[in-house]
Amino acid sequence: DSGVTQTPKHLITATGQRVTLRCSPRSGDLSVYWYQQSLDQGLQFLIQYYNGEERAKGNILERFSAQQFPDLHSELNLSSLELGDSALYFCASSGGLRDYGYTFGSGTRLTVV
Amino acid sequence: AQTVTQSQPEMSVQEAETVTLSCTYDTSESDYYLFWYKQPPSRQMILVIRQEAYKQQNATENRFSVNFQKAAKSFSLKISDSQLGDAAMYFCACATGANSKLTFGKGITLSVRP
């Protein structure tokens, strides 16, 4: 167990639907990062939250949104899903000044049919 | 913004031999950190090794070591005594300071021949 928990592990949904992916960071980590990894692709940075505030934004579609709650867990919302959104979505957390490590969750595999 | 380049999409190594995976990066920051991550077929992202840019000494973790050439902005990973379990995709990544995102290269698929 890496300390970062992502749920669900697998998700199959139809085009046009909306889903929510959840991430609980490692205890004490304030930063949460979301990444998308399509088949045979590298990891594309989507968005970062730090202590509840959006810190950085990457190649995140307007149909996607995220938030970080007071208990520091984060949710990534994907709406109007398209076949091309099928991918592995990773959440990672870091402790910042305490240590410069990034811990990854096991990912949520999203399949849009 | 930083960029990370892994120009070799695939490499192969004989079991027990040594292999070096290449990575170059570009950043205008003076404070940055470099990482190698392993992604086996399970798709879990596993930290292999990390290097702080301010440290001149190359990082080492058991059979894994890096060759950090700061002036050339090169950060290669050497795997000694390769094992079948080393077969995976390897990603090079860079982060500029605390609480900043990781930027990844496209990755390299390493196969290990028995």
Side-chain angles (χ1 to χ4, degrees):
Chain A
D1 181 10
S2 68
V4 176
T5 303
Q6 286 190 250
T7 56
K9 292 192 183 303
H10 302 277
L11 199 50
I12 301 175
T13 189
T15 55
Q17 295 299 305
R18 171 189 169 95
V19 296
T20 297
L21 313 184
R22 183 188 168 99
C23 169
S24 294
R26 188 179 60 171
S27 179
D29 286 355
L30 299 180
S31 278
V32 170
Y33 311 81
W34 286 97
Y35 288 85
Q36 179 192 56
Q37 185 179 30
S38 301
L39 188 64
D40 296 327
Q41 295 293 312
L43 284 88
Q44 300 295 318
F45 170 70
L46 296 178
I47 198 164
Q48 176 199 0
Y49 278 81
Y50 176 79
N51 202 20
E53 299 291 327
E54 182 182 302
R55 173 67 69 96
K57 218 169 191 177
N59 299 320
I60 187 167
L61 300 172
E62 286 191 8
R63 300 183 286 108
F64 296 0
S65 65
Q67 56 185 325
Q68 186 178 29
F69 295 86
D71 67 352
L72 300 179
H73 91 271
S74 178
E75 292 181 356
L76 179 66
N77 300 296
L78 315 176
S79 61
S80 302
L81 285 167
E82 303 174 358
L83 295 178
D85 297 328
S86 294
L88 189 55
Y89 291 85
F90 282 107
C91 167
S93 72
S94 72
L97 291 175
R98 177 165 56 85
D99 75 278
Y100 290 100
Y102 296 78
T103 305
F104 281 79
S106 57
T108 293
R109 181 174 296 280
L110 173 67
T111 303
V112 182
V113 297
Chain B
Q2 62 267 31
T3 60
V4 178
T5 303
Q6 295 178 255
S7 56
Q8 306 157 302
E10 296 178 353
M11 284 197 75
S12 180
V13 63
Q14 189 75 34
E15 193 175 7
E17 297 295 310
T18 296
V19 64
T20 299
L21 310 182
S22 301
C23 172
T24 59
Y25 63 93
D26 191 19
T27 178
S28 57
E29 301 291 332
S30 58
D31 177 27
Y32 58 91
Y33 300 77
L34 299 166
F35 304 81
W36 278 97
Y37 280 87
K38 172 184 177 181
Q39 188 178 45
S42 67
R43 305 304 290 271
Q44 177 70 41
M45 293 294 290
I46 302 167
L47 176 65
V48 175
I49 199 166
R50 73 182 190 195
Q51 172 84 41
E52 291 85 349
Y54 64 85
K55 290 186 178 178
Q56 294 186 348
Q57 187 173 6
N58 289 325
T60 299
E61 289 287 342
N62 300 314
R63 297 183 295 107
F64 299 88
S65 61
V66 299
N67 183 6
F68 175 44
Q69 300 289 327
K70 193 171 185 177
K73 295 186 176 178
S74 170
F75 183 62
S76 59
L77 175 69
K78 185 172 82 171
I79 305 175
S80 304
D81 184 26
S82 296
Q83 301 175 0
L84 295 178
D86 294 334
M89 180 163 274
Y90 287 82
F91 291 97
C92 179
C94 176
T96 54
N99 290 309
S100 69
K101 65 180 175 70
L102 276 170
T103 297
F104 287 90
K106 290 186 180 298
I108 178 171
T109 301
L110 176 67
S111 59
V112 181
R113 305 186 303 275

